[in-house]
Amino acid sequence: MMNRRMTLRRILALCVAAGVCMHAAAHRFHAGIADISYNARTGSTEVVHTYMAHDVEALLTELYQRQFDLSDPDDQAVLRKYVDKQFWLADKDGRRLPLNWVGVTVDTDSVVVFQEAMRTPAGKVETIHDAVLSDFLPDQQNTVNLTANGSLRTFGFTSNRTELSTH
Amino acid sequence: MRTVPLLLAASCVHACAWADDPVIQRVLVEGARASQLGIADAASAGTVNQNELALRTVYRPGELLEAAPGLIVSQHSGEGKANQFFLRGFNLDHGTDLATWLDDMPVNQRSHAHGQGWTDLNFLIPELTARLDYRKGPYSARDGDFASAGSAAITYANRLARNVATVSAGRDGYARAALAASRETGDGVLTYALEAVHNDGPYVHPDDYQKLNGVLRYSRGYANNGWSVTAMAYRGRWHATDQVPERAVAAGLLGRFDAVDTSDGGAAKRFSLSGVWRRTGQDAATKVSGYVIRNQLDLWSDFTYFMHDPVNGDQFAQPDRRVTSGVKATHSRHVHLGETAASDVTVGVEAQNDNIFNGLYGTQARRVLAVTRADHVVETSAAAFIENATRWNRWFRTTVGVRADDVRFRVRSSLAANSGTTQDSLASPSVNLVFGPWRQTEFYVNHGAGFHSNDARGTVTAPGTTPGLVRSRGMELGLRTEAIPDMQTAVSLYRLDFDSELTYVGDAGTTEAGPPSRRTGIEFSNYYKPYKWLSIAFDAAYAHARSRGAAPGRDRIPEAIEGVGQLALTVSRLGAWDGALRLRWFGPRPLVDDDSVRSRASTTLTGRLGYRISRAVRLELEGFNLTNRRASAIDYYYASRLRGEAAAREDVHFHPIEPRSFRLTLVKNW
């Protein structure tokens, strides 16, 4: 819950920082957030992505020219394929951490994607690759919050910067 | 705690959504029909998505266009022939005044041997069809020739989310196999489809319609920031059972599914190569598309039997071979005007050239007896438009535009008197005012001028009397509301004037420029989706069509449709089951100008039942004309003479609706 609230606040903060709401005449601001944290109860590292629904809709429409319904498993699989391709985590040897698709929730404003790396502490994340939507929207700004070893660190991704080391 | 930032974020999204919308397409993620509020410029415009199209029961591919409320697609001949279309008080014949596009390629063929604006949609592959956008009335500067009654733009998918293979079998020799798939290749995607169809129909002399159809597309990037190149090939051949005279059926000389001339039929080929390139940014969007289309048609028809030639019969051939090439380019700029105001300016240029060899021959059993005329037609057109779409404030937006069209007609005919060159040009302004939304309700005022081109062969022989371009003027008041939850309702009241009506000449199988006309009508369409698994569509349309300047009591327009209605019930994702039922009412038409002979209405019920065997395999049963009505697909009234008749007689000639039939389909996805 904490993550989710922070996520939404952060999107808001990004909007305000970009001056969108100050003068709506400006462009829509394209932003996404991914929170990576360890869940001690399950022993998994969880990834919660939040994107603007409009951006995800536009992405899928421009790829497939049709309307998508993300509550339909077949349509959800299409988004999954895309996210799996554009977002991944790797350990210090460069091996991808297997990210399972937990699910997705959709409301009128946001699309939230849940992934988890089973039996993996967040500290194992050495590389973050995040190109979700930035291949589609040149001004997309993705923020990744990594909570590992008791500290929160934030990484910014753009279409020109899609991969970062956590060290 | 959570809702406040959410709402703030939401308000931010909505405020900004206007800024981007015209440039980046907006859809919903709710499984319902996407809202047109804030998007469409008229109550009569809309979009039908792939899911809705896939759930339709279609006897022939052209019927996909019936997803546009008020549009009727029929057939009066062999299955490979272009369909007959009806919309807004028009018998559109084979597509006149309905501009149809597939991925920016024109489907209408101008100066066609058989009918102006000939629209043969048999090459349409439903598995690739991702969306249908329709507009009615001449209110958009983006639409040119043939778009006065309406326009339909079909989009094929650049890539398929799931590949599909399907086999179907049905009554009367119906069989279909199709494959449509996408494959990632390097940075691009290859999408291909193959289709083979056979259908005899219920006729005494089977259609033996054989269709082979293929599409190959390579695309890179996103549709709005990328490009695609597409090759298509279609071949069809068929025997035709043309309309038959009622008197012969009444006398027992002919069965309802019988033919008079069993050698009628045709063969069609279509090959195309096309490309689309688009670049979309925050402030600008550019699109360039081009195409080369090779169309060939051989068509043998006999509508009057032995009236003109009591010995050899009246069969005639209308071969048409053409290469159509063209380009379209648009550039949009987005301007911010203030907190709630934004403006898009779009300029566009279009050019199209048709190099046509067509003719009209007298034939007997497809053997040429005489050349009535043979023509080489070169029709070249250029157009430019500018359109401004402005949102002035939270409750008012406008789209205004003007387009200029210029067409050159050159005809070299077998008869010197039929040869010549002429040129015509027109400017067509349009204004659309949109008020709202208030309580999920928008109001529209639309006004615009449009046109259709006449057959080049008519324009050069009598310049001055038959203009190249015929002006239409339309106006419309509309309302669209989503005030009732899960319900989308649109009402439009329209008027459309034509300077000259194109009428179908049954005995020659051609169209002829006629007197001016006026149509007024009302359309009412509803889409209700109370549950995720259930949707109900109810549409009704009524039109009043009259010739102007005609003698009193003789102002009816033959075959002009008056009333149309449909009620469709669709159930999807109800466990493993889904299904649909659709009742279509095709209202009566006057068949002669004094309204003394009228066609009867026809009501047909179609349905489908689908069962999902596994995630990848589905079984579908489609049923057509479920109540087994004996009705006409189309009626005409004209004179004909059967063998053995002393003189020609005026009569109703009809083509029957297919009796109850079923098709079973196995669909495999992966």
Side-chain angles (χ1 to χ4, degrees), chain A residues 101-141:
Chain A
W101 185 266
V102 178
V104 59
T105 62
V106 185
D107 61 37
T108 47
D109 302 312
S110 57
V111 172
V112 182
V113 171
F114 300 90
Q115 294 176 301
E116 65 175 358
M118 304 272 276
R119 291 182 296 280
T120 307
K124 267 188 95 171
V125 176
E126 292 281 328
T127 307
I128 303 169
H129 179 97
D130 188 347
V132 178
L133 288 167
S134 60
D135 63 327
F136 172 59
L137 300 161
D139 62 336
Q140 173 77 16
Q141 299 211 10

Side-chain angles (χ1 to χ4, degrees), chain A residues 22-154:
Chain A
M22 299 302 155
H23 46 101
H27 295 292
R28 161 192 289 285
F29 189 71
H30 302 291
I33 295 201
D35 286 299
I36 306 173
S37 61
Y38 180 68
N39 184 335
R41 195 171 52 79
T42 59
S44 301
T45 289
E46 297 175 351
V47 186
V48 181
H49 305 251
T50 307
Y51 302 103
M52 290 180 182
H54 179 284
D55 295 344
V56 174
E57 290 159 13
L59 168 98
L60 293 171
T61 305
E62 297 300 343
L63 269 179
Y64 296 91
Q65 288 72 53
R66 72 167 171 93
Q67 192 181 328
F68 275 77
D69 174 4
L70 292 179
S71 62
D72 177 353
D74 290 336
D75 279 7
Q76 199 183 115
V78 174
L79 179 65
R80 175 183 179 172
K81 190 173 141 194
Y82 174 77
V83 173
D84 284 347
K85 195 175 101 197
Q86 303 297 103
F87 182 91
W88 44 262
L89 306 172
D91 66 12
K92 64 181 191 307
D93 300 322
R95 282 193 302 260
R96 302 260 181 110
L97 300 176
L99 277 176
N100 293 335
W101 185 266
V102 178
V104 59
T105 62
V106 185
D107 61 37
T108 47
D109 302 312
S110 57
V111 172
V112 182
V113 171
F114 300 90
Q115 294 176 301
E116 65 175 358
M118 304 272 276
R119 291 182 296 280
T120 307
K124 267 188 95 171
V125 176
E126 292 281 328
T127 307
I128 303 169
H129 179 97
D130 188 347
V132 178
L133 288 167
S134 60
D135 63 327
F136 172 59
L137 300 161
D139 62 336
Q140 173 77 16
Q141 299 211 10
N142 290 325
T143 303
V144 175
N145 299 312
L146 173 66
T147 309
N149 307 321
S151 68
L152 167 73
R153 277 175 300 157
T154 298

Side-chain angles (χ1 to χ4, degrees), chain B residues 51 68 99 102 109 116 121 131 136 157 240 311 369 373 389 411 447 486 554 557 599 656:
Chain B
N51 285 341
L102 172 64
Q109 296 180 42
Q116 179 64 338
L121 282 166
R131 59 185 284 163
K136 292 180 232 165
V311 180
L369 300 175
R373 63 183 295 168
V411 178
H447 194 286
D486 306 313
R554 304 195 68 97
I557 300 170
S599 70

Side-chain angles (χ1 to χ4, degrees), chain A residues 9 57 65-66 74 139, chain B residues 1 27 32 50 158 282 615:
Chain A
R9 277 190 178 163
E57 290 159 13
Q65 288 72 53
R66 72 167 171 93
D74 290 336
D139 62 336
Chain B
M1 247 338 249
V27 292
Q50 188 185 40
N158 277 358
Q282 289 280 7
R615 248 195 95 194

Side-chain angles (χ1 to χ4, degrees), chain B residues 242-245 247 260-261 264 301-310 313-316 505-509 638-643 645 647-649 653:
Chain B
D242 286 338
Q243 63 264 17
V244 292
R247 63 180 184 277
V260 177
D261 190 332
D264 291 349
S301 320
D302 187 349
F303 303 139
T304 52
Y305 323 120
F306 292 92
M307 187 168 82
H308 301 296
D309 187 338
D314 297 348
Q315 193 190 56
F316 56 95
V505 185
D507 55 356
Y638 57 82
S640 66
R641 182 182 172 189
L642 290 160
R643 192 192 290 272
E645 286 183 326
R649 287 174 60 184
H653 296 72

Side-chain angles (χ1 to χ4, degrees), chain B residues 537-554:
Chain B
F538 171 68
D539 305 320
Y542 174 77
H544 178 272
R546 296 289 185 271
S547 290
R548 303 175 78 187
R554 304 195 68 97

Side-chain angles (χ1 to χ4, degrees), chain B residues 123-368:
Chain B
F123 72 97
L124 192 65
I125 299 181
E127 283 79 2
L128 288 180
T129 306
R131 59 185 284 163
L132 167 72
D133 297 275
Y134 61 87
R135 281 198 281 257
K136 292 180 232 165
Y139 314 125
S140 174
R142 293 168 189 254
D143 289 332
D145 203 357
F146 303 127
S148 295
S151 67
I154 299 154
T155 304
Y156 270 0
N158 277 358
R159 66 171 88 198
L160 299 170
R162 302 181 82 195
N163 299 335
V164 57
T166 168
V167 286
S168 313
R171 186 181 152 162
D172 300 323
Y174 180 83
R176 178 177 188 263
L179 166 77
S182 288
R183 169 191 285 205
E184 308 261 349
T185 51
D187 292 333
V189 179
L190 200 64
T191 296
Y192 54 93
L194 275 171
E195 181 190 34
V197 176
H198 181 267
N199 193 14
D200 283 332
Y203 309 105
V204 174
H205 304 276
D207 271 3
D208 191 22
Y209 176 45
Q210 299 171 33
K211 162 156 89 172
L212 274 177
N213 200 2
V215 172
L216 183 65
R217 167 172 292 181
Y218 181 74
S219 65
R220 279 273 184 104
Y222 292 89
N224 66 341
N225 260 314
W227 54 267
S228 68
V229 178
T230 309
M232 298 186 192
Y234 159 77
R235 192 206 74 185
R237 53 177 173 231
W238 64 97
H239 298 294
T241 295
D242 286 338
Q243 63 264 17
V244 292
E246 266 187 358
R247 63 180 184 277
V249 176
L253 299 173
L254 281 177
R256 292 183 73 245
F257 299 99
D258 227 330
V260 177
D261 190 332
T262 55
S263 63
D264 291 349
K269 284 181 186 167
R270 183 190 179 281
F271 305 96
S272 66
L273 187 65
S274 60
V276 178
W277 174 88
R278 281 176 73 187
R279 179 75 49 218
T280 307
Q282 289 280 7
D283 290 315
T286 307
K287 180 177 187 183
V288 181
S289 60
Y291 54 86
V292 181
I293 310 165
R294 166 83 169 147
N295 265 301
Q296 290 184 38
L297 177 75
D298 286 303
L299 185 68
W300 291 273
S301 320
D302 187 349
F303 303 139
T304 52
Y305 323 120
F306 292 92
M307 187 168 82
H308 301 296
D309 187 338
V311 180
N312 299 307
D314 297 348
Q315 193 190 56
F316 56 95
Q318 291 169 308
D320 190 293
R321 280 160 178 61
R322 66 177 61 211
V323 175
T324 305
S325 45
V327 290
K328 292 175 85 172
T330 57
H331 181 71
S332 302
R333 285 208 77 82
H334 183 68
V335 187
H336 309 288
L337 299 173
E339 193 168 328
T340 56
S343 191
D344 282 279
V345 179
T346 303
V347 292
V349 289
E350 296 167 13
Q352 182 182 333
N353 184 72
D354 288 81
N355 190 24
I356 310 160
F357 291 88
N358 61 21
L360 176 63
Y361 307 155
T363 58
Q364 182 186 31
R366 302 193 180 191
R367 190 170 52 83
V368 177

